[in-house]
Amino acid sequence: MSTDSTVVRDAWRSFYAAAQPALDDWQAAAAEPSVTQAKRLRDLLAANRDTAFGRAYGFANISDAAQYRERVPLHAYADLLPWIERAQRETAAVLTAQPPQFFERTSGNSALQKLIPYTPAFLGEMQRALVVWLADVYRQVPEITFGRAYWSMSPPLQANGHAANGIPIGSASDLDYLGGSIVAGLAPTLIVPSFQDDVAEWRKQTLLTLIAADDLSFISVWSPTFLSSLLRSLFEADNPGHAATLGWLDARLPIPRKTALRAALAEGTCEPLWPRLAAVSCWMDGPSRQYATQLRARFPQVRWLPKGLFATEAVVTLPFGSGEGCPLAIESHFLEFMFDDGRVREAAELQRGDIAQVVVTTGGGLYRYLLGDRVQVVGFTGRTPRVEFVGRTGAQCDLVGEKLDETTVASVLKEIFTDPGEAVCLAPCATAEPPHYVLLIASSTPRAANAVATEVESALLRAFHYAHARRLGQLGPVQVRHLTGSPQRLAGALQQAAEQTGIRAGDAKPRMLIGRLDTANALLALTGN
């Protein structure tokens, strides 16, 4: 069912007019990243100088980034945890002068789920990046205004509560992030499925709502696996829920949409379903690259737009302009970059080809926080670096001391699996005796399992700690599990396993190494047959 196109276009035009000053400011800032970042740091320190943290580290006496690095150490989450716990107990200003509106849970791909303070200042930092991004999308692809948009907004998968001082823990939905922003003025353009407590029911209702929308013109999701997992039940006859899903939809769709769905199934693409669809935005680098490439075949008519690096803790990049990667969000937070040798550089000091870990200081009270994301400089917008996500530094699995990390595993698997029609990941099987790793391969053409296992095992043995654990017999050899059919079968299983273990549907991230044992166990159970 379509909506009044005039309402949608007027909302976008009003938004773009209101966003124009922010867009102009961003372009000026991108030309002078050192000036922009110096001001961002000064503002953050001045705003929070009289907090408990600010007094402890002498914010009042810090005049530049060099002094900031001297006085304030780098912080992992565990280092900031005592301060965050104080902010959940006390009513005085602990980390920030503004009290948090809520504490948001991280998406949970690490074993430790973190609580991140969300203050009005921090929400403003994230919203500013969203405004610039959406204004640039409108400028690049005006056809998105020809119909409504779907933005992935996931219901919470865990019950929300309150801290000891009464501050809410967990947001009700992703819509909470938009309050007070001009982005909220785009609400009339959105297709919003009803939230359901039951995740399976919510997914069905989301699919129904999308198929019913004949005017869908823009899709914005985080992970491509989220969208591909919705579509699998439509297009893949070997999916266990295929027939039931089609029957359920057939009983609820109006005749014109049933006809469009049949045409899409016959063609194998989504073009007959959504002829106005102009753009799809999702993660397209790092481990998401292979899944985005596979998903594009379902949408031959659309413009594909990369997502920036938005984490629960910070926004690092925002999509803007053309070229590889995305520019750093220099107006939002103060950004630093730590190299493998321990050197720390500011945004304006980065050079093409540099690979470093992101360090953020935010209006939410994260000071010199090690985000754990590694990025590579691939170009520039003005003088501001454009970067691509490389992988996580802390994504590690250590059953018996083997210390496998995602960077090592990704390097091994990319070297062996070069066919874009294959999807792979490595999952620990901790319940076996001895424990071992299972290589999951989804492709239409099976490989010889023994040969693949030997090749992957040989490559992993180049990692000292893995080889040591194998020599001692603490770890068994790699085993191979082949998922017949489309490569998207693995994407769907990864998505389902993430949801089963408390990760919001829209936040589930593709991984080449599954570090969380409960997610790995769920994935192995789902693919066991």
Side-chain angles (χ1 to χ4, degrees):
M1 181 182 298
S2 61
T3 192
D4 185 349
S5 60
T6 303
V7 171
V8 173
R9 292 188 189 184
D10 285 349
W12 272 106
R13 286 171 184 153
S14 297
F15 164 77
Y16 187 70
Q20 192 63 54
L23 200 57
D24 293 342
D25 288 348
W26 157 252
Q27 290 178 295
E32 296 290 348
S34 59
V35 174
T36 303
Q37 283 281 277
K39 181 179 185 303
R40 188 84 282 269
L41 179 60
R42 286 196 304 270
D43 290 348
L44 286 166
L45 295 176
N48 300 298
R49 61 189 293 176
D50 294 324
T51 64
F53 190 96
R55 289 192 299 270
Y57 287 99
F59 280 9
N61 299 315
I62 296 175
S63 60
D64 57 28
Q67 286 187 337
Y68 182 54
R69 285 193 291 272
E70 289 174 5
R71 289 176 179 266
V72 182
L74 295 167
H75 290 101
Y77 183 78
D79 302 318
L80 287 174
L81 184 57
W83 294 96
I84 292 173
E85 289 176 339
R86 279 185 62 182
Q88 294 174 55
R89 295 192 307 267
E90 301 176 15
T91 56
V94 177
L95 283 164
T96 53
Q98 294 178 333
Q101 289 185 202
F102 57 90
F103 291 91
E104 184 62 290
R105 300 180 179 94
T106 56
S107 60
N109 280 303
S110 63
L112 173 64
Q113 191 174 66
K114 307 159 190 172
L115 292 177
I116 306 302
Y118 270 54
T119 62
F122 178 64
L123 284 166
E125 292 168 356
M126 300 195 86
Q127 289 166 357
R128 186 168 186 82
L130 285 172
V131 167
V132 174
W133 166 57
L134 287 169
D136 192 55
V137 170
Y138 174 86
R139 188 168 60 179
Q140 289 192 63
V141 195
E143 295 84 1
I144 63 172
T145 68
F146 292 178
R148 290 177 295 166
Y150 171 69
W151 300 353
S152 172
M153 295 183 183
S154 309
L157 299 185
Q158 302 170 68
N160 291 336
H162 289 83
N165 58 9
I167 297 175
I169 293 178
S171 58
S173 83
D174 296 346
L175 288 168
D176 288 353
Y177 289 29
L178 305 182
S181 166
I182 62 172
V183 179
L186 293 175
T189 75
L190 299 182
I191 298 165
V192 183
S194 61
F195 285 168
Q196 308 285 329
D197 291 335
D198 179 77
V199 175
E201 181 63 25
W202 171 73
R203 291 172 66 83
K204 287 167 59 179
Q205 291 293 339
T206 297
L207 188 59
L208 174 64
T209 303
L210 289 175
I211 293 175
D214 59 359
D215 62 336
L216 182 65
S217 65
F218 180 35
I219 294 176
S220 173
V221 298
W222 293 111
S223 173
T225 62
F226 171 71
L227 186 54
S228 61
S229 68
L230 282 179
L231 298 177
R232 279 194 66 231
S233 59
L234 291 182
F235 288 102
E236 299 188 9
D238 62 343
N239 186 297
H242 176 72
T245 298
L246 292 184
W248 186 85
L249 291 169
D250 190 70
R252 290 162 176 80
L253 288 169
I255 290 175
R257 300 310 293 157
K258 291 180 185 180
T259 302
L261 178 57
R262 284 195 292 270
L265 294 175
E267 188 177 297
T269 77
C270 293
E271 188 169 8
L273 268 180
W274 301 303
R276 297 191 203 178
L277 187 62
V280 174
S281 174
C282 66
W283 288 323
M284 297 176 65
D285 51 16
S288 295
R289 191 186 304 275
Q290 62 175 331
Y291 297 110
T293 299
Q294 294 155 9
L295 185 60
R296 293 176 78 148
R298 297 288 184 204
F299 300 90
Q301 84 278 21
V302 309
R303 176 92 169 264
W304 284 78
L305 305 172
K307 265 286 188 296
L309 181 49
F310 278 71
T312 307
E313 300 98 322
V315 50
V316 178
T317 68
L318 59 108
F320 182 88
S322 58
E324 291 184 89
C326 296
L328 295 171
I330 55 171
E331 285 191 308
S332 293
H333 316 309
F334 180 67
L335 301 170
E336 300 172 272
F337 299 86
M338 186 173 73
F339 290 76
D340 290 343
D341 61 6
R343 289 177 299 132
V344 175
R345 294 289 182 265
E346 295 176 44
E349 298 174 313
L350 295 177
Q351 299 179 4
R352 186 186 294 270
D354 283 347
I355 299 176
Q357 180 183 174
V358 181
V359 181
V360 297
T361 294
T362 76
L366 302 184
Y367 299 105
R368 305 204 71 211
Y369 175 74
L370 293 160
L371 189 60
D373 289 330
R374 287 165 57 83
V375 297
Q376 181 172 17
V377 180
V378 294
F380 292 86
T381 292
R383 295 179 182 175
T384 296
R386 299 180 70 93
V387 305
E388 285 187 351
F389 175 69
V390 174
R392 293 281 297 169
T393 58
Q396 188 179 85
C397 197
D398 195 13
L399 300 178
V400 296
E402 73 278 15
K403 302 184 190 302
L404 277 185
D405 62 81
E406 188 172 36
T407 301
T408 299
V409 170
S411 175
V412 166
L413 297 184
K414 287 176 182 177
E415 179 183 310
I416 295 171
F417 298 92
T418 57
D419 185 348
E422 293 177 310
V424 294
C425 80
L426 198 67
C429 183
T431 57
E433 182 54 46
H436 59 267
Y437 285 83
V438 177
L439 179 69
L440 294 152
I441 308 173
S443 69
S444 56
T445 305
R447 289 193 181 220
N450 290 341
V452 171
T454 299
E455 189 174 7
V456 172
E457 177 76 9
S458 297
L460 290 176
L461 286 170
R462 296 199 295 263
F464 172 81
H465 293 288
Y466 182 87
H468 187 63
R470 288 285 290 113
R471 281 194 299 270
L472 295 179
Q474 294 175 300
L475 204 62
V478 168
Q479 297 185 14
V480 171
R481 186 174 296 181
H482 188 267
L483 310 183
T484 57
S486 164
Q488 294 299 331
R489 282 200 63 190
L490 179 56
L494 284 166
Q495 184 75 32
Q496 192 174 348
E499 292 174 19
Q500 286 182 4
T501 51
I503 300 172
R504 279 185 173 182
D507 291 343
K509 300 178 178 67
R511 299 286 191 195
M512 285 195 172
L513 173 66
I514 309 301
R516 243 179 83 162
L517 292 184
D518 57 348
T519 303
N521 291 340
L523 178 62
L524 294 177
L526 288 167
T527 59
N529 294 323

